[in-house]
Amino acid sequence: DTKALIRKADAAKSLGDYEESIKTAEQLIRQDPKNVQAYTTLINIYTNLNLPEKAEEIRKRLLRNASKSRIIREAPQIREFIRRDSIV
């Protein structure tokens, strides 16, 4: 269930268990490659961990799988990352 996986990824992130959150978000992306929330979770984690190169990699993957308008509609919190040419 994709909703259960996104809740699990968000809960792990909230608890500071970034490794589990990353693993779960990546699992969700394998199941649903267009899931904007999973990519958003990964971008937020890598940004928080000061890993802009990893965040940029995820941003590019997201843009290959979803339109900018859909991303902005479903994840307004990363709007600025999507509108820029690069996170780095």
Side-chain angles (χ1 to χ4, degrees):
D1 179 18
T2 58
K3 289 182 182 186
L5 286 174
I6 199 64
R7 283 192 302 269
K8 181 179 178 183
D10 286 342
K13 183 179 79 172
S14 294
L15 294 171
D17 188 353
Y18 294 131
E19 187 175 322
E20 181 63 31
S21 185
I22 290 168
K23 184 176 116 183
T24 303
E26 288 288 1
Q27 178 184 356
L28 178 55
I29 290 169
R30 283 191 299 278
Q31 288 182 9
D32 180 8
K34 296 182 181 209
N35 190 297
V36 173
Q37 286 185 301
Y39 291 102
T40 301
T41 296
L42 291 173
I43 289 170
N44 287 332
I45 289 171
Y46 290 131
T47 301
N48 289 341
L49 294 175
N50 198 27
L51 296 170
E53 297 84 12
K54 293 291 283 182
E56 177 63 18
E57 176 187 319
I58 301 302
R59 182 177 94 62
K60 287 178 182 177
R61 285 172 54 196
L62 172 57
L63 288 169
R64 282 193 302 265
N65 288 292
S67 69
K68 283 185 179 183
S69 60
R70 177 177 172 209
I71 297 165
I72 291 167
R73 185 177 60 251
E74 292 183 25
Q77 68 272 29
I78 64 167
R79 175 180 302 143
E80 293 308 313
F81 288 132
I82 299 307
R83 288 187 174 156
R84 289 193 262 183
D85 289 335
S86 173
I87 291 174
V88 183

